[in-house]
CSV table of all heavy atoms in Angstrom, one decimal:
chain,number,residue,atom,x,y,z
A,436,GLY,N,-4.4,-11.6,-13.7
A,436,GLY,CA,-5.2,-10.9,-12.8
A,436,GLY,C,-5.5,-11.7,-11.5
A,436,GLY,O,-5.5,-11.1,-10.4
A,437,GLU,N,-5.7,-13.0,-11.6
A,437,GLU,CA,-6.0,-13.8,-10.5
A,437,GLU,C,-4.8,-14.7,-10.0
A,437,GLU,O,-4.8,-15.4,-9.1
A,437,GLU,CB,-7.1,-14.8,-10.8
A,437,GLU,CG,-8.5,-14.1,-11.2
A,437,GLU,CD,-9.0,-13.2,-10.0
A,437,GLU,OE1,-8.8,-13.6,-8.9
A,437,GLU,OE2,-9.6,-12.2,-10.3
A,438,GLN,N,-3.7,-14.5,-10.8
A,438,GLN,CA,-2.5,-15.4,-10.5
A,438,GLN,C,-1.4,-14.6,-9.7
A,438,GLN,O,-0.7,-15.2,-8.8
A,438,GLN,CB,-1.9,-15.9,-11.8
A,438,GLN,CG,-2.9,-16.6,-12.7
A,438,GLN,CD,-3.4,-17.9,-12.1
A,438,GLN,OE1,-2.7,-18.6,-11.3
A,438,GLN,NE2,-4.7,-18.1,-12.3
A,439,ALA,N,-1.2,-13.3,-10.0
A,439,ALA,CA,-0.2,-12.6,-9.4
A,439,ALA,C,-0.7,-11.5,-8.4
A,439,ALA,O,-1.9,-11.1,-8.5
A,439,ALA,CB,0.6,-11.8,-10.5
A,440,LYS,N,0.0,-11.2,-7.4
A,440,LYS,CA,-0.4,-10.2,-6.5
A,440,LYS,C,-0.5,-8.8,-7.1
A,440,LYS,O,0.4,-8.4,-7.9
A,440,LYS,CB,0.6,-10.1,-5.3
A,440,LYS,CG,0.6,-11.4,-4.5
A,440,LYS,CD,1.6,-11.2,-3.3
A,440,LYS,CE,1.6,-12.5,-2.4
A,440,LYS,NZ,2.6,-12.3,-1.3
A,441,LYS,N,-1.5,-8.1,-6.8
A,441,LYS,CA,-1.7,-6.7,-7.4
A,441,LYS,C,-0.5,-5.8,-7.0
A,441,LYS,O,-0.1,-5.0,-7.8
A,441,LYS,CB,-3.0,-6.1,-6.9
A,441,LYS,CG,-4.2,-6.8,-7.4
A,441,LYS,CD,-5.5,-6.1,-7.0
A,441,LYS,CE,-6.8,-6.7,-7.5
A,441,LYS,NZ,-7.0,-8.1,-6.9
A,442,SER,N,0.0,-6.0,-5.8
A,442,SER,CA,1.1,-5.1,-5.4
A,442,SER,C,2.4,-5.4,-6.2
A,442,SER,O,3.1,-4.4,-6.6
A,442,SER,CB,1.5,-5.4,-3.9
A,442,SER,OG,1.7,-6.8,-3.7
A,443,LEU,N,2.6,-6.6,-6.6
A,443,LEU,CA,3.8,-6.9,-7.4
A,443,LEU,C,3.5,-6.4,-8.9
A,443,LEU,O,4.5,-5.9,-9.5
A,443,LEU,CB,4.0,-8.4,-7.5
A,443,LEU,CG,5.2,-8.9,-8.2
A,443,LEU,CD1,6.5,-8.3,-7.6
A,443,LEU,CD2,5.3,-10.4,-8.2
A,444,LEU,N,2.3,-6.6,-9.4
A,444,LEU,CA,2.1,-6.1,-10.8
A,444,LEU,C,2.2,-4.6,-10.9
A,444,LEU,O,2.8,-4.1,-11.8
A,444,LEU,CB,0.6,-6.5,-11.2
A,444,LEU,CG,0.4,-8.0,-11.4
A,444,LEU,CD1,-1.1,-8.3,-11.6
A,444,LEU,CD2,1.2,-8.5,-12.6
A,445,VAL,N,1.6,-3.9,-9.9
A,445,VAL,CA,1.7,-2.4,-10.0
A,445,VAL,C,3.1,-1.9,-9.8
A,445,VAL,O,3.6,-1.0,-10.6
A,445,VAL,CB,0.8,-1.8,-8.9
A,445,VAL,CG1,1.0,-0.3,-8.8
A,445,VAL,CG2,-0.7,-2.1,-9.2
A,446,ALA,N,3.9,-2.5,-8.9
A,446,ALA,CA,5.2,-2.1,-8.7
A,446,ALA,C,6.1,-2.4,-9.9
A,446,ALA,O,6.9,-1.6,-10.3
A,446,ALA,CB,5.8,-2.8,-7.5
A,447,SER,N,5.9,-3.5,-10.6
A,447,SER,CA,6.6,-3.8,-11.8
A,447,SER,C,6.3,-2.8,-12.9
A,447,SER,O,7.2,-2.4,-13.6
A,447,SER,CB,6.2,-5.3,-12.3
A,447,SER,OG,6.6,-6.2,-11.3
A,448,GLY,N,5.0,-2.4,-13.0
A,448,GLY,CA,4.6,-1.4,-13.9
A,448,GLY,C,5.3,-0.1,-13.7
A,448,GLY,O,5.8,0.6,-14.7
A,449,LEU,N,5.5,0.3,-12.5
A,449,LEU,CA,6.2,1.5,-12.1
A,449,LEU,C,7.6,1.5,-12.6
A,449,LEU,O,8.2,2.4,-13.1
A,449,LEU,CB,6.1,1.8,-10.6
A,449,LEU,CG,5.0,2.8,-10.2
A,449,LEU,CD1,5.3,4.2,-10.6
A,449,LEU,CD2,3.6,2.4,-10.6
A,450,LEU,N,8.3,0.4,-12.2
A,450,LEU,CA,9.7,0.3,-12.6
A,450,LEU,C,9.9,0.3,-14.1
A,450,LEU,O,10.8,0.9,-14.6
A,450,LEU,CB,10.3,-1.0,-12.0
A,450,LEU,CG,10.4,-1.1,-10.5
A,450,LEU,CD1,10.8,-2.5,-10.0
A,450,LEU,CD2,11.3,0.0,-9.9
A,451,MET,N,9.0,-0.4,-14.8
A,451,MET,CA,9.1,-0.4,-16.3
A,451,MET,C,8.9,1.0,-16.9
A,451,MET,O,9.5,1.4,-17.9
A,451,MET,CB,8.1,-1.4,-16.9
A,451,MET,CG,8.3,-1.6,-18.4
A,451,MET,SD,7.3,-3.0,-19.0
A,451,MET,CE,8.1,-4.4,-18.1
A,452,LEU,N,7.9,1.7,-16.3
A,452,LEU,CA,7.6,3.1,-16.7
A,452,LEU,C,8.9,4.0,-16.6
A,452,LEU,O,9.2,4.7,-17.5
A,452,LEU,CB,6.5,3.7,-15.9
A,452,LEU,CG,6.1,5.2,-16.2
A,452,LEU,CD1,5.6,5.3,-17.6
A,452,LEU,CD2,5.1,5.6,-15.2
A,453,GLY,N,9.5,3.9,-15.4
A,453,GLY,CA,10.7,4.7,-15.2
A,453,GLY,C,11.8,4.4,-16.2
A,453,GLY,O,12.5,5.3,-16.8
A,454,PHE,N,12.0,3.1,-16.5
A,454,PHE,CA,13.0,2.6,-17.4
A,454,PHE,C,12.7,3.1,-18.8
A,454,PHE,O,13.7,3.4,-19.6
A,454,PHE,CB,13.2,1.1,-17.4
A,454,PHE,CG,14.3,0.6,-18.2
A,454,PHE,CD1,15.6,0.9,-17.9
A,454,PHE,CD2,14.0,-0.1,-19.4
A,454,PHE,CE1,16.7,0.4,-18.7
A,454,PHE,CE2,15.1,-0.6,-20.2
A,454,PHE,CZ,16.4,-0.3,-19.9
A,455,SER,N,11.4,3.2,-19.2
A,455,SER,CA,11.1,3.7,-20.5
A,455,SER,C,11.6,5.1,-20.8
A,455,SER,O,11.9,5.4,-22.0
A,455,SER,CB,9.6,3.6,-20.7
A,455,SER,OG,8.9,4.6,-20.0
A,456,PHE,N,11.6,5.9,-19.8
A,456,PHE,CA,12.2,7.3,-19.9
A,456,PHE,C,13.7,7.3,-19.9
A,456,PHE,O,14.3,8.0,-20.6
A,456,PHE,CB,11.5,8.2,-18.9
A,456,PHE,CG,10.1,8.5,-19.2
A,456,PHE,CD1,9.1,8.0,-18.4
A,456,PHE,CD2,9.7,9.4,-20.2
A,456,PHE,CE1,7.8,8.3,-18.6
A,456,PHE,CE2,8.4,9.7,-20.5
A,456,PHE,CZ,7.4,9.1,-19.7
A,457,VAL,N,14.3,6.5,-18.9
A,457,VAL,CA,15.7,6.5,-18.8
A,457,VAL,C,16.4,6.0,-20.1
A,457,VAL,O,17.4,6.5,-20.5
A,457,VAL,CB,16.1,5.6,-17.6
A,457,VAL,CG1,17.6,5.3,-17.6
A,457,VAL,CG2,15.7,6.2,-16.3
A,458,LEU,N,15.7,5.1,-20.8
A,458,LEU,CA,16.1,4.6,-22.1
A,458,LEU,C,16.4,5.7,-23.1
A,458,LEU,O,17.3,5.6,-23.9
A,458,LEU,CB,15.1,3.6,-22.6
A,458,LEU,CG,15.6,2.6,-23.7
A,458,LEU,CD1,16.7,1.7,-23.1
A,458,LEU,CD2,14.4,1.7,-24.2
A,459,LEU,N,15.6,6.8,-23.0
A,459,LEU,CA,15.8,7.9,-24.0
A,459,LEU,C,17.2,8.5,-23.8
A,459,LEU,O,17.7,9.1,-24.8
A,459,LEU,CB,14.7,8.9,-23.8
A,459,LEU,CG,13.3,8.4,-24.0
A,459,LEU,CD1,12.3,9.5,-23.7
A,459,LEU,CD2,13.1,7.9,-25.5
A,460,ASN,N,17.7,8.5,-22.6
A,460,ASN,CA,19.0,9.1,-22.3
A,460,ASN,C,20.1,8.1,-22.7
A,460,ASN,O,21.2,8.5,-23.2
A,460,ASN,CB,19.2,9.4,-20.8
A,460,ASN,CG,18.4,10.7,-20.5
A,460,ASN,OD1,18.1,11.5,-21.3
A,460,ASN,ND2,18.2,10.8,-19.2
A,461,LEU,N,19.9,6.8,-22.5
A,461,LEU,CA,20.9,5.8,-22.8
A,461,LEU,C,21.2,5.6,-24.3
A,461,LEU,O,22.3,5.4,-24.7
A,461,LEU,CB,20.6,4.5,-22.1
A,461,LEU,CG,20.4,4.5,-20.6
A,461,LEU,CD1,20.0,3.1,-20.1
A,461,LEU,CD2,21.7,5.0,-19.9
A,462,PHE,N,20.1,5.7,-25.0
A,462,PHE,CA,20.2,5.4,-26.5
A,462,PHE,C,19.4,6.5,-27.2
A,462,PHE,O,18.1,6.3,-27.4
A,462,PHE,CB,19.7,4.0,-26.8
A,462,PHE,CG,20.4,2.9,-26.1
A,462,PHE,CD1,19.8,2.4,-25.0
A,462,PHE,CD2,21.6,2.4,-26.5
A,462,PHE,CE1,20.4,1.3,-24.3
A,462,PHE,CE2,22.2,1.4,-25.8
A,462,PHE,CZ,21.7,0.9,-24.7
A,463,PRO,N,20.0,7.6,-27.7
A,463,PRO,CA,19.2,8.7,-28.3
A,463,PRO,C,18.8,8.5,-29.7
A,463,PRO,O,18.3,9.4,-30.3
A,463,PRO,CB,20.3,9.8,-28.2
A,463,PRO,CG,21.6,9.2,-28.2
A,463,PRO,CD,21.4,7.8,-27.5
A,464,GLN,N,18.9,7.3,-30.3
A,464,GLN,CA,18.5,7.1,-31.7
A,464,GLN,C,17.0,7.1,-31.8
A,464,GLN,O,16.3,6.8,-30.8
A,464,GLN,CB,19.0,5.7,-32.2
A,464,GLN,CG,20.5,5.6,-32.3
A,464,GLN,CD,21.2,5.2,-30.9
A,464,GLN,OE1,20.5,5.1,-29.9
A,464,GLN,NE2,22.5,4.9,-31.0
A,465,VAL,N,16.5,7.5,-33.0
A,465,VAL,CA,15.1,7.6,-33.2
A,465,VAL,C,14.4,6.2,-33.0
A,465,VAL,O,13.3,6.2,-32.5
A,465,VAL,CB,14.8,8.1,-34.6
A,465,VAL,CG1,13.3,8.1,-35.0
A,465,VAL,CG2,15.4,9.5,-34.8
A,466,SER,N,15.1,5.1,-33.4
A,466,SER,CA,14.5,3.8,-33.3
A,466,SER,C,14.1,3.5,-31.8
A,466,SER,O,13.2,2.7,-31.6
A,466,SER,CB,15.4,2.7,-33.9
A,466,SER,OG,16.6,2.8,-33.2
A,467,VAL,N,14.9,4.0,-30.9
A,467,VAL,CA,14.6,3.7,-29.5
A,467,VAL,C,13.3,4.4,-29.0
A,467,VAL,O,12.8,3.9,-28.0
A,467,VAL,CB,15.8,4.2,-28.6
A,467,VAL,CG1,15.6,4.0,-27.1
A,467,VAL,CG2,17.1,3.5,-29.0
A,468,LEU,N,12.9,5.4,-29.7
A,468,LEU,CA,11.6,6.0,-29.3
A,468,LEU,C,10.5,5.0,-29.3
A,468,LEU,O,9.6,5.0,-28.5
A,468,LEU,CB,11.3,7.2,-30.3
A,468,LEU,CG,12.3,8.3,-30.3
A,468,LEU,CD1,11.8,9.4,-31.3
A,468,LEU,CD2,12.5,8.9,-29.0
A,469,PHE,N,10.5,4.0,-30.3
A,469,PHE,CA,9.5,3.0,-30.4
A,469,PHE,C,9.6,2.0,-29.2
A,469,PHE,O,8.6,1.5,-28.7
A,469,PHE,CB,9.6,2.3,-31.7
A,469,PHE,CG,9.2,3.2,-32.9
A,469,PHE,CD1,10.2,4.0,-33.5
A,469,PHE,CD2,7.9,3.3,-33.3
A,469,PHE,CE1,9.9,4.8,-34.6
A,469,PHE,CE2,7.6,4.2,-34.4
A,469,PHE,CZ,8.6,4.9,-35.0
A,470,VAL,N,10.9,1.6,-28.9
A,470,VAL,CA,11.1,0.7,-27.8
A,470,VAL,C,10.6,1.3,-26.5
A,470,VAL,O,10.0,0.7,-25.7
A,470,VAL,CB,12.6,0.3,-27.7
A,470,VAL,CG1,12.8,-0.6,-26.5
A,470,VAL,CG2,13.1,-0.3,-29.0
A,471,SER,N,10.9,2.6,-26.3
A,471,SER,CA,10.5,3.3,-25.1
A,471,SER,C,9.0,3.4,-25.0
A,471,SER,O,8.4,3.1,-23.9
A,471,SER,CB,11.0,4.8,-25.1
A,471,SER,OG,10.5,5.5,-24.0
A,472,MET,N,8.3,3.6,-26.1
A,472,MET,CA,6.8,3.6,-26.1
A,472,MET,C,6.3,2.3,-25.8
A,472,MET,O,5.2,2.1,-25.1
A,472,MET,CB,6.3,4.2,-27.5
A,472,MET,CG,4.8,4.4,-27.5
A,472,MET,SD,4.3,5.6,-26.3
A,472,MET,CE,4.8,7.1,-27.1
A,473,LEU,N,6.9,1.2,-26.3
A,473,LEU,CA,6.5,-0.2,-26.0
A,473,LEU,C,6.5,-0.4,-24.5
A,473,LEU,O,5.6,-0.9,-23.9
A,473,LEU,CB,7.3,-1.2,-26.8
A,473,LEU,CG,7.1,-2.6,-26.4
A,473,LEU,CD1,5.7,-3.1,-26.8
A,473,LEU,CD2,8.2,-3.5,-27.1
A,474,LEU,N,7.6,-0.1,-23.9
A,474,LEU,CA,7.8,-0.3,-22.4
A,474,LEU,C,6.8,0.5,-21.6
A,474,LEU,O,6.2,0.1,-20.7
A,474,LEU,CB,9.2,0.0,-22.0
A,474,LEU,CG,10.3,-0.9,-22.6
A,474,LEU,CD1,11.7,-0.4,-22.1
A,474,LEU,CD2,10.1,-2.3,-22.1
A,475,LEU,N,6.6,1.8,-22.1
A,475,LEU,CA,5.7,2.7,-21.4
A,475,LEU,C,4.2,2.1,-21.4
A,475,LEU,O,3.5,2.1,-20.5
A,475,LEU,CB,5.7,4.1,-22.0
A,475,LEU,CG,4.8,5.1,-21.4
A,475,LEU,CD1,5.5,6.5,-21.6
A,475,LEU,CD2,3.4,5.2,-21.9
A,476,SER,N,3.9,1.5,-22.6
A,476,SER,CA,2.6,0.9,-22.8
A,476,SER,C,2.4,-0.3,-21.9
A,476,SER,O,1.3,-0.5,-21.3
A,476,SER,CB,2.4,0.6,-24.3
A,476,SER,OG,2.5,1.7,-25.1
A,477,ILE,N,3.4,-1.2,-21.8
A,477,ILE,CA,3.3,-2.4,-21.0
A,477,ILE,C,3.2,-2.0,-19.5
A,477,ILE,O,2.5,-2.6,-18.8
A,477,ILE,CB,4.5,-3.3,-21.2
A,477,ILE,CG1,4.5,-3.8,-22.7
A,477,ILE,CG2,4.5,-4.5,-20.3
A,477,ILE,CD1,5.7,-4.6,-23.1
A,478,SER,N,3.9,-0.9,-19.1
A,478,SER,CA,3.8,-0.5,-17.8
A,478,SER,C,2.4,0.0,-17.4
A,478,SER,O,1.9,-0.2,-16.3
A,478,SER,CB,4.8,0.7,-17.5
A,478,SER,OG,4.4,1.9,-18.1
A,479,GLU,N,1.8,0.7,-18.4
A,479,GLU,CA,0.4,1.1,-18.2
A,479,GLU,C,-0.5,-0.1,-18.0
A,479,GLU,O,-1.4,-0.1,-17.1
A,479,GLU,CB,0.0,1.9,-19.4
A,479,GLU,CG,-1.5,2.4,-19.4
A,479,GLU,CD,-1.9,3.1,-20.7
A,479,GLU,OE1,-1.0,3.4,-21.5
A,479,GLU,OE2,-3.1,3.4,-20.8
A,480,ILE,N,-0.3,-1.2,-18.8
A,480,ILE,CA,-1.1,-2.4,-18.7
A,480,ILE,C,-1.0,-3.0,-17.3
A,480,ILE,O,-1.9,-3.5,-16.7
A,480,ILE,CB,-0.7,-3.4,-19.8
A,480,ILE,CG1,-1.1,-2.8,-21.1
A,480,ILE,CG2,-1.4,-4.8,-19.5
A,480,ILE,CD1,-0.6,-3.6,-22.3
A,481,LEU,N,0.3,-3.1,-16.8
A,481,LEU,CA,0.5,-3.7,-15.5
A,481,LEU,C,0.0,-2.9,-14.3
A,481,LEU,O,-0.3,-3.5,-13.3
A,481,LEU,CB,2.0,-3.9,-15.3
A,481,LEU,CG,2.7,-4.9,-16.3
A,481,LEU,CD1,4.2,-5.0,-16.1
A,481,LEU,CD2,2.1,-6.3,-16.0
């Protein structure tokens, strides 16, 4: 919170959010649903 720029944190969160959905197309296995949800959750935190 006090170490990184807010602009960089928010932008990183956006990019990770987009990748969490693209991942569903790249790897359609059920196990990837959990990886996608993990990335989506981290993007929310950022």
Side-chain angles (χ1 to χ4, degrees):
E437 300 299 327
Q438 306 298 323
K440 293 182 178 179
K441 293 183 180 68
S442 55
L443 184 60
L444 290 171
V445 172
S447 300
L449 261 293
L450 294 175
M451 190 172 293
L452 177 64
F454 184 67
S455 73
F456 287 107
V457 170
L458 198 64
L459 299 175
N460 286 340
L461 300 178
F462 304 98
Q464 295 87 352
V465 173
S466 59
V467 175
L468 301 181
F469 293 90
V470 179
S471 174
M472 188 60 75
L473 172 64
L474 294 176
L475 185 149
S476 303
I477 295 174
S478 75
E479 179 182 349
I480 292 170
L481 292 175

